[in-house]
Amino acid sequence: MARKYHICVKLAAQLLIPSATWALTDPFDVREATIDSVHNALFTRITTCRQVVSSFIARIETYNPVINAIISLNPTALSTADRLDARLASGNVTGALFCIPVLLKDNFDTADIPTTAGCLALADNRPLHDAPTVAALRDAGAIILGKANLHELALEGISVSSLGGQTVNPYDLTRTPGGSSGGSGAALAANFAVLSTGTDTVNSLRSPASANSLFSVRPTRGLLSRAGVIPVSYTQDSVGALARTVKDLAVALTVMARVGYDAADNTTAAVPTEVRGVDYSAALYGSSLRGLRLGLVGGFFNHTASAETSPVNEAMALGIRHLRSAGATLVNITDAIYNTTALAALDVQTFEYRSLLTAYLSSRPAPPNSFADIYTSGNFLVLPSGYPYITKSTVSSTAAPAYLPALHAIRSLTQSLQTTFATHALDALIYPEQKNLVVKLGSPSQSGRNGILAALTGSPVVTVPIGFTAASGEAPSGVPMGMEILGRPWSEGVLLNIARHVGELMLVRRMPPFANGTVESREYGTVPVIRPDVRNIPKQYPVGIL
Ligand SMILES: *[C@@H]1O[C@H](CO)[C@@H](O)[C@H](O)[C@H]1NC(C)=O
Ligand SMILES: *[C@@H]1O[C@H](CO)[C@@H](O)[C@H](O)[C@H]1NC(C)=O
Ligand SMILES: *[C@@H]1O[C@H](CO)[C@@H](O)[C@H](O)[C@H]1NC(C)=O
Ligand SMILES: *[C@@H]1O[C@H](CO)[C@@H](O)[C@H](O)[C@H]1NC(C)=O
Ligand SMILES: *[C@@H]1O[C@H](CO)[C@@H](O)[C@H](O)[C@H]1NC(C)=O
Ligand SMILES: *[C@@H]1O[C@H](CO)[C@@H](O)[C@H](O)[C@H]1NC(C)=O
């Protein structure tokens, strides 16, 4: 019945619009689509997989020129959709992500699209294999729709790159989308896909979630294999996902965690037996906030009143009132160690980056094959004053005298964090992802972020939308803000459960106004080519001078 109706609409549209590029109203509205809503529409024959993919491509064609979040589309996306439609027709539907369009941060290896990390020097980097987490997504039926922009090589939080240009925040076109997974965040907020992936060395999955009214998970170190992802830091790197709903986030995590132990990333050996093969979507149901003990990290706030800090403090205060009224107990955590300035001194990225990047590149069939190949090429982004991060990485290594003391201090911090959980009998720590709003375009740094604690200790964090600032001319529905929920190792299920309750209590998420309209469906012969806009790279970031 539904299928017949669909065919009728199509025929009518063909008859009424005698143009080569005729359009019709999509029978299924992909705005705020979830895994369940796509599946319901497919299984009741309201739409087809090709139609779902075409609708997202049409949105990208329409809205991406405003936010510049996409580096490339996958030329095989429509043929994959056709294969899934054939399976649908024959009743062979398997996989939790059957026909779910996913955008990958462009530092995840894909065999069918270049993996550039937004760096001109890597424009032709064509990995032979998918990263294991990408293969797991495809095995579950996901359609890799394309690659999202990032801060170049995932090294900072502004989301500007020499190959991808500057990605813009969809809620306030004068601000960054956070980062480094900023393209993944901006694209998902603007409804360019159902899910996206990201990586996080200090803040990079959480800052884009916060700045784009999304949920994200940075899992416990070891839960997800980092193999086949362009690396920054052995100690701090994590891969994860972003979603518009907690449920979709839980499914993405479940699928990516199926990789399990991976000899190519020895941190995956740490996963306890009882965590292997867990279905995180099952953890969402039942339980409540009543009786939970949540530690509020006082040192992760900026109480100096200003237009950039006060909205964050007000949103957190409202969130805390909601949590209390739902029966949670809030405990003030005032230990001096929870000081992001002091914790930043323990960051070990620049000791680890050079050798890890070279290890990743050395197996490639063609140059660049090393850190030096990239950073002497001139084909990357630098600050006018040089690039201190790269200068430091060029001269330091894990053999540097300061490295082992830093690792020792990280171990001590991890012990202190466990002690905080134990002494206050906590279920999780909460704090704003940023002490202030996500910064304006052209700012030299993404200041005020609180991601360092989880990055150093390898703790899991689920980030949830906590509010919007008041609407203004620049932000017609306000600037989004997010809260981190940090847990003990392997407590992803608990954190996702808390996130679901918070999400239902507060109902914060909304679409970016500029992209909240419907887009007419289009018929594509082939997947269109999207070219990133590199014209608007801020003057502070000239390309290619070492
Ligand atoms: C269903 O599709 C999968 C994936 O393409 C394939 O491996 C499998 O053989 C198919 N099963 C049947 C019964 O056709
Ligand atoms: C784990 O892997 C890292 C990076 O590949 C390597 O440097 C380290 O030696 C490995 N550790 C052990 C104990 O095998
Ligand atoms: C706190 O916020 C104020 C006002 O925005 C700002 O001037 C100050 O630098 C911030 N302090 C820290 C430590 O970030
Ligand atoms: C916790 O800190 C807040 C302000 O940060 C304060 O208003 C509240 O009284 C403190 N609660 C306790 C029990 O100390
Ligand atoms: C946080 O640490 C920095 C650097 O160690 C220090 O200057 C600052 O006073 C500390 N802040 C607080 C509130 O203790
Ligand atoms: C789109 O955004 C505008 C401005 O915030 C708002 O008035 C309108 O209701 C939104 N439409 C939808 C469908 O969300």
Side-chain angles (χ1 to χ4, degrees), residues 31 39 122 175 189 194 231 264 342 391 411-412 434 534:
R31 289 176 302 167
H39 284 173
L122 288 168
R175 291 181 190 265
V194 176
T391 312
R411 199 155 66 210
S412 168
Q434 284 201 237
V534 293

Side-chain angles (χ1 to χ4, degrees), residues 296 298 303 324 330 332:
L296 183 64
H303 288 295
R324 283 216 175 96
L330 275 289
N332 281 353

Side-chain angles (χ1 to χ4, degrees), residues 51-75:
Q51 184 91 56
V52 169
V53 171
S54 300
S55 297
F56 282 115
I57 294 174
R59 290 188 62 81
I60 291 170
E61 282 198 303
T62 307
Y63 294 125
N64 190 59
V66 180
I67 57 172
N68 194 41
I70 303 295
I71 285 189
S72 58
L73 291 185
N74 185 354

Side-chain angles (χ1 to χ4, degrees), residues 234 264-267 356:
Y234 177 81
D265 178 1
N266 56 21
T267 63
L356 268 189

Side-chain angles (χ1 to χ4, degrees), residues 468-514:
F468 282 86
T469 62
S472 69
E474 286 166 342
S477 74
V479 178
M481 297 167 282
M483 177 174 83
E484 293 197 27
I485 308 172
L486 180 150
R488 290 177 181 271
W490 321 113
S491 68
E492 280 80 358
V494 172
L495 302 180
L496 288 162
N497 186 281
I498 297 173
R500 183 181 72 94
H501 287 295
V502 171
E504 286 176 1
L505 266 178
M506 298 194 66
L507 295 174
V508 169
R509 156 113 198 122
R510 56 173 93 114
M511 290 187 267
F514 100 91

Side-chain angles (χ1 to χ4, degrees), residues 83-84 87 90-94 98 139:
R83 271 212 313 282
L84 295 180
R87 279 177 54 187
S90 68
N92 179 14
V93 175
T94 53
F98 186 89
D139 284 351

Side-chain angles (χ1 to χ4, degrees), residues 261-274:
Y261 172 66
D262 180 0
D265 178 1
N266 56 21
T267 63
T268 57
V271 182
T273 316
E274 64 273 18

